[in-house]
Amino acid sequence: MAEALARALGSTEPGHGPAPTLVLGPARSGRSALLFRAALAGSRPRALFLAPSALQRLPGARRGASDGRSLQRVQFLYPPSLQELLRLVASLHQSLPGPPALILLDGLEQYLAGCPGPQAVAQLSALLVDTASYFTGRLGTNPCGPASCCQLITSLRVPREAEADEHLGVLQRYFPARCWLCPDSLASLDQDDCGGNRMFRARLSQPGVPDHEWRVEFGLDGEMRVSPLPWGNTENPGVASDIDRAAGAEK
Amino acid sequence: MEATLPAVAEELLKEIKKAFQETSHVPDDLLLALKFIFGASAVAALDLVDQHSVTQVVSPSGRAVYQVLGSSGKLYICYTSCHFCTCPAFAFSVLRKNDSLLCKHILAVYLSQATGTCQELSVSDQQLASILLAEEEEEEERGP
């Protein structure tokens, strides 16, 4: 949810509550790395990382780097299809040994590909929200504790097709907080792994909370670096228009 | 339900709960307000509540879900923490056309909570997982 994502990006400011969060960005914009960073951030007792296929390497980490102790807190599950994902999420109350403090779903667009209609999108979203809510009840009643609720973050590659607009309309019912990843320059999308640093801006928006923005950079070594940006920074107007276009596509 | 309703709807449901606790019935002015906010769904939802069509299904894990027996005899699933129903009206009027807040089944869940008329059913964790996916409904048409 938004608080877990803001913390992963280095924010220490209060304000972002536990709203389910959707991370949106184009291909190769670091969505998986951001989710993974959220899984490892803080001292949460357990995170559940769901994706349609196994990760080839730790996203956002230096090549060859691994933090075994932090990784032990993350449980990875790879349901290959929408049906498998629905069955897995619906049975988490009986299959997990304890309640997770964070549920991460990477690659939502792959599950939604060929989705029969808005009801299937709504069912998956609602089931995820309902499951996180159930685990929140299991985690305890202290609203200020570090693991007082089970947060939910899912990532979606920004869709281009018209049908995807309908998906986004349904998704925003269930994910009130959204984090847009926009390239800091058009070159960022075209850089391959050996071609130079890729830079993005991450803007976190949640109703009732001021927007926050960060610069996210992927170095040649594959490592993700995050730095905060003051809100209203207009040093690159092209980025703002990219964000506006993306926001327009959401409507 | 923990899902967010518009403040006016939440206030109305609180008023209905209070009135029902004090007098065991819902006064006409609150029924009119219900119809004003929710339209035709209000009367249909009240019928469902009268017929005790809402059941909260709970498993030993503590996970819960609502089953609502529709007027056609079909069983629909509503989640406890957010607005979702497996009925066609939810898919069409709420999700696709966006011209309704809720379907009559979700409103019936709210009203049955307010009036304390919700049935309860205990099932196994495995059965609850199937019900969450509305698989029971596809496998067999169940009675109340």
Side-chain angles (χ1 to χ4, degrees):
Chain A
M1 305 194 191
E3 183 267 337
L5 191 66
R7 185 162 27 163
L9 287 164
S11 173
T12 54
E13 296 177 34
H16 288 288
T21 304
L22 187 62
V23 174
L24 299 123
R28 294 173 43 74
S29 58
R31 300 180 311 281
S32 302
L34 200 49
L35 262 61
F36 199 68
R37 192 180 176 98
L40 298 183
S43 55
R44 296 174 176 282
R46 176 192 287 269
L48 183 62
F49 194 102
L50 307 170
S53 56
L55 299 167
Q56 297 302 310
R57 65 182 180 88
L58 299 183
R62 284 193 313 277
R63 287 190 173 82
S66 110
D67 182 352
R69 193 180 299 170
S70 298
L71 279 174
Q72 285 176 359
R73 298 205 310 263
V74 186
Q75 182 174 0
F76 295 89
L77 294 169
Y78 303 110
S81 66
L82 176 62
Q83 209 55 39
E84 292 290 321
L85 175 66
L86 287 168
R87 284 177 191 270
L88 186 148
V89 176
S91 59
L92 286 176
H93 60 276
Q94 59 175 349
S95 59
L96 287 185
L102 187 58
I103 297 175
L104 302 147
L105 173 62
D106 194 24
L108 182 60
E109 71 283 350
Q110 294 186 51
Y111 291 112
L112 299 186
C115 208
Q119 196 162 23
V121 181
Q123 182 173 24
L124 173 59
S125 306
L127 186 61
L128 286 164
V129 171
D130 196 62
T131 302
S133 173
Y134 160 72
F135 284 125
T136 291
R138 292 271 314 276
L139 280 167
T141 54
N142 179 4
C144 302
S148 60
C149 68
C150 174
Q151 304 201 36
L152 171 65
I153 307 174
T154 188
S155 81
L156 177 75
R157 190 175 64 222
V158 174
R160 294 181 182 174
E161 299 82 7
E163 77 158 22
D165 281 348
E166 196 174 46
H167 287 174
L168 273 182
V170 172
L171 288 170
Q172 66 186 4
R173 281 179 175 273
Y174 298 98
F175 294 91
R178 287 177 284 281
C179 181
W180 289 93
L181 286 163
C182 298
D184 217 15
S185 67
L186 288 177
S188 288
L189 282 181
D190 298 328
Q191 300 277 12
D192 60 22
D193 281 347
C194 303
N197 287 6
R198 289 181 292 129
M199 291 202 285
F200 296 87
R201 287 191 178 201
R203 185 164 91 177
L204 182 59
S205 303
Q206 183 181 353
V209 180
D211 285 4
H212 283 87
E213 201 171 15
W214 294 266
R215 174 172 282 131
V216 179
E217 184 175 357
F218 292 91
L220 291 173
D221 54 2
E223 188 174 18
M224 178 187 199
R225 298 178 189 88
V226 178
S227 52
L229 282 171
W231 179 234
N233 187 323
T234 54
E235 69 182 45
N236 183 352
V239 172
S241 57
D242 284 343
I243 293 173
D244 290 343
R245 273 198 299 278
E250 177 193 11
K251 289 171 187 168
Chain B
M1 259 191 208
E2 300 160 23
T4 308
L5 273 176
V8 64
E10 275 192 16
E11 197 57 37
L12 177 59
L13 288 165
K14 276 187 204 161
E15 289 287 318
I16 289 174
K17 182 175 185 178
K18 186 171 170 223
F20 196 86
Q21 281 173 343
E22 289 169 359
T23 65
S24 295
H25 86 283
V26 183
D28 287 351
D29 59 331
L30 294 184
L31 291 177
L32 278 173
L34 199 65
K35 191 160 188 306
F36 181 75
I37 293 175
F38 294 104
S41 295
V43 175
L46 286 165
D47 279 344
L48 291 171
V49 174
D50 277 347
Q51 291 154 18
H52 299 280
S53 300
V54 180
T55 303
Q56 186 184 35
V57 186
V58 186
S59 80
S61 67
R63 183 132 200 203
V65 66
Y66 289 97
Q67 284 183 325
V68 183
L69 184 63
S71 50
S72 64
K74 201 166 167 57
L75 209 51
Y76 298 107
I77 306 302
C78 300
Y79 291 159
T80 59
S81 62
C82 56
H83 293 163
F84 176 77
C85 180
T86 50
C87 78
F90 183 80
F92 185 72
S93 300
V94 180
L95 294 177
R96 198 179 286 273
K97 286 185 69 185
N98 206 16
D99 62 2
S100 295
L101 274 177
L102 309 168
C103 66
K104 62 184 177 183
H105 307 108
I106 297 176
L107 183 55
V109 170
Y110 276 116
L111 290 171
S112 69
Q113 288 172 334
T115 57
T117 53
C118 194
Q119 311 288 301
E120 289 199 8
L121 177 67
S122 294
V123 298
S124 68
D125 287 340
Q126 178 63 47
Q127 285 172 315
L128 193 91
S130 294
I131 294 170
L132 281 168
L133 298 179
E135 290 179 335
E136 300 269 312
E137 184 192 350
E138 289 165 15
E139 287 164 11
E140 52 176 329
E141 293 291 332
R142 285 159 46 121

